[in-house]
Amino acid sequence: MMQGREIIARRVALEFKDGDVVNLGIGIPTLAANYLPEGVHIQLQSENGMLGMGGAASPEAASLDITDAGGNPVTVLPGGMFFDSPFSFGLIRGGHVDETVLGALEVDQEGNLASWMIPGKRVPGMGGAMDLVVGARRVIVAMEHVNKDGSAKILKKCRLPLTAAHKVNLVVTNAAVLKVKPGGGLVLTELAPETTLEQALAGIEADVEVSPDLKTMPIL
Amino acid sequence: MMQGREIIARRVALEFKDGDVVNLGIGIPTLAANYLPEGVHIQLQSENGMLGMGGAASPEAASLDITDAGGNPVTVLPGGMFFDSPFSFGLIRGGHVDETVLGALEVDQEGNLASWMIPGKRVPGMGGAMDLVVGARRVIVAMEHVNKDGSAKILKKCRLPLTAAHKVNLVVTNAAVLKVKPGGGLVLTELAPETTLEQALAGIEADVEVSPDLKTMPIL
Amino acid sequence: MKNKVIPVEEAVAHVKDGDHIMVGGFLKGGTPDVSVRELIRQGQKGLTLTSNDTGRPDCAVFDLVGAGRVAVINASYIGANPETGKMLIENPGSVRLFPQGTLAEKVRCGGFGLGGVLTPVGVGTVVEEGKQKLVVDGKEYLLETALHADVAFVKAHAADEAGNLLIRGNAKNFNVVMAAAADYVIAEVDEILPVGSIGPEDVTVPGALVNAIVKGGACA
Amino acid sequence: MKNKVIPVEEAVAHVKDGDHIMVGGFLKGGTPDVSVRELIRQGQKGLTLTSNDTGRPDCAVFDLVGAGRVAVINASYIGANPETGKMLIENPGSVRLFPQGTLAEKVRCGGFGLGGVLTPVGVGTVVEEGKQKLVVDGKEYLLETALHADVAFVKAHAADEAGNLLIRGNAKNFNVVMAAAADYVIAEVDEILPVGSIGPEDVTVPGALVNAIVKGGACA
């Protein structure tokens, strides 16, 4: 059986169009680049200053002058370029990134997103996430359907401090795909393979419309 | 006898220190680069995107990709660099240009400067002048002592629309050098060769202190 | 990835009557003359034009103004284009003059998703008329807001087929930020190269910003 | 022109207790480790530190925080530095977190003579607390003001003796704008070259911004 992470990554990969500029967050989002459909080539933006990011650098080629947003040595592909942080975030805020894919602690039915802090417990900082979510043309949240303790992550209203308000376009989990309607409201459009509608809805606190065209994720 | 323009250019050139970044306006200011004292090397900033501007390009080397602020093909010197307009004016506004030398229609005793328009008659636009006058560490006005009709250019208060308020540090004319005191007020510190104090003062409308150390411009 | 090289007629046809266009260049340096000539030929009118200087007599944008196609101009220096000067005298509201660094920042804001910047340039001059003034840490600034266009015309030395641009020397001027600040970007270039021919340190403008590449060259 | 290459001890001695310092780098990419290690050795304290992330355990700036020398931090992501996390929990006012693009613009404003920028990022989140909100064309923005430091520590691959810097890859990150945003700038480099060795298209930071060049290298 396909792992939850792989389900999410495979489904996210179907969202990209040929030629898109995409920023992938650390973790599950990064895996999406492994599952691009044939004929779809995307350009990865790394917010620390690169377009056209390639894979991990070989030990011989590794340099601290070319790193991904986790600080690890990577390569640059033909047609890529380097730039400084103001330019990088200029591209991001200016709407020149087609999709940003990132994880989240919570998402809600108004398209709000909380991903960067748990007050009093864990405050890693927002890094580039707020700029990405505000600036990218489409915001795709890629995350587990529920928390480890089984509690919901898709809520009526986020309880944690927001990363941005009303910016999420699509939520992809290991159980379902949910679209955020313009102006708010969630529509469940797809189920993961071997997941029933009841199972998916049981893990969601938010009010959800079920699409009349509900289908199984086309990832097999 | 030395021409007025040459007097001004020679005297302005004495204001530069070795290593200074200098922006020279079109006309008399540009001539100052010809009279640098021995051992003084400056780097010319051209606001259209260059540090380390050299002289006019030879016909063979001329390119529209390397031009001065008048749009004419020039060269770049070793140690120079190119940049775009936001970066160029970032350097200017950010205080990274040591001296800007520019002409003026009027200067006044508060250190105000009018150089960019004559309402209803001639409105060429301010170009980069306002940024240069606000941002450069020192603002040197290099101009004829009086207008062609003999009327004063050094006034109690500028009548034409200002380029900037309270920003002029030094005025160099073909008759005299005047310092603007911090907070305002003009001190006449030098006379041009063959110019008397009476001649210099006759061409000035502003209130002027005469320096107790009044001397002749050291340009011969 | 799509090859973006298309005929100039097709690229320029994206401009509609009443559009806001940006034209890169500083006087004759880095000006997209072939594509602006095509715009004159096609006849779109009632345009808003953002251009540093609206050209000098050897630039196509000079003739665009002369042909009466432009209703409103944003510029910093118009002393080399008497046609623009005439517009300003006859209809003062039709030509908006900004300090050059301010114009550069306004375009950058439009391209990089910022609403505006606070600049000290213009304080105490007519430039502050009608603008919001803010005090930060005891210092006065003008709020200068973003400019965004429908179509940008930019000039580069070379492009690869994905639209990555190499702009040489100080022809970078306004071309870089204008490429970010429009919905549709036409890059006019002298050379068209395969993807990967321009190294990642040499790309001046990422192809992600460029919609159409047209071949430049000598024009009548 | 003065050769700016000096011993690291002399350069770093410009930092005084209570100074605001900026340290370039993104996690381990483009970090000036030798000069920051020297700062730890010299013992200056009560510092304000602006750094994208305050490093990870293999960065000198990580240890600067750990050594208790820093009183106030401006950063965007601190998830890799638990010492900074501890400061934030114990004294919330001591660590100010900004969206990464906002932090980049704040430093750019400080370096480029702007009072601040209007960004949509952070609207509707805790980031807007205590900040001025402005509406431009019906859209809400936060006013984010400039940051300027006493001393900046930046890293480049190479410098010429006049201080022109070549920064490779995405090690450009915050290093370019920080070099503009401080009164005294220390550039740590792997290679030192004669003036003119770095071509005018390859200089990333003009020497005019750099006060001291120090030799980098492996550090314990």
Side-chain angles (χ1 to χ4, degrees), chain B residues 85, chain C residues 21-33 35-36 49-55 59-61 107 151-156 167 170-179 186 188:
Chain B
S85 297
Chain C
I21 65 167
M22 291 183 176
V23 177
F26 184 105
L27 295 171
K28 185 66 181 170
T31 57
D33 287 321
S35 39
V36 175
L49 167 67
T50 297
S51 156
N52 177 58
D53 45 55
T54 71
C59 302
V61 69
V107 176
V151 180
F153 292 73
V154 304
K155 176 67 169 53
I167 309 183
N170 55 9
K172 295 171 184 64
N173 56 59
F174 282 80
N175 285 304
V176 179
V177 277
M178 285 180 175
I186 302 169
E188 176 176 327

Side-chain angles (χ1 to χ4, degrees), chain B residues 46-50 64-74 82-87 89-90 93 116-117 120-132 134-135 161-165 167, chain C residues 26-30 52 56 75-80 85 88-89 97-102 104-105 108 119-127 139 155 157 167-174 176-177 190:
Chain B
S46 187
E47 65 265 33
N48 54 326
M50 186 177 359
L64 288 171
D65 287 342
I66 307 178
T67 57
D68 65 15
N72 306 305
V74 291
F82 302 114
F83 31 71
D84 67 2
S85 297
F87 194 97
F89 282 90
R93 250 189 342 257
W116 71 282
M117 73 175 285
K121 265 179 122 171
R122 217 181 95 73
V123 189
M126 65 292 280
M130 286 192 179
D131 299 272
L132 281 160
V134 169
L162 298 187
T163 306
K167 289 291 177 185
Chain C
F26 184 105
L27 295 171
K28 185 66 181 170
N52 177 58
R56 61 182 203 190
S76 89
Y77 174 79
I78 58 169
L88 176 63
I89 300 288
L97 292 171
F98 300 95
Q100 199 165 122
T102 297
E105 288 297 316
R108 181 179 183 272
T119 177
V121 178
V123 170
T125 77
V126 296
V127 168
K139 188 170 171 180
K155 176 67 169 53
H157 170 66
I167 309 183
R168 284 187 177 160
N170 55 9
K172 295 171 184 64
N173 56 59
F174 282 80
V176 179
V177 277
D190 300 326

Side-chain angles (χ1 to χ4, degrees), chain D residues 93-105:
Chain D
S94 68
V95 180
R96 305 168 187 147
L97 292 172
F98 300 95
Q100 200 165 121
T102 297
L103 188 66
E105 287 298 315

Side-chain angles (χ1 to χ4, degrees), chain D residues 2 8 13 37 50 62 77 97 107 112 132 204 208 218-219:
Chain D
K2 206 176 76 172
V8 65
R37 287 252 174 266
T50 297
F62 181 99
Y77 173 79
L97 292 172
V107 175
F112 280 3
Q132 198 171 342
T204 324
C219 71

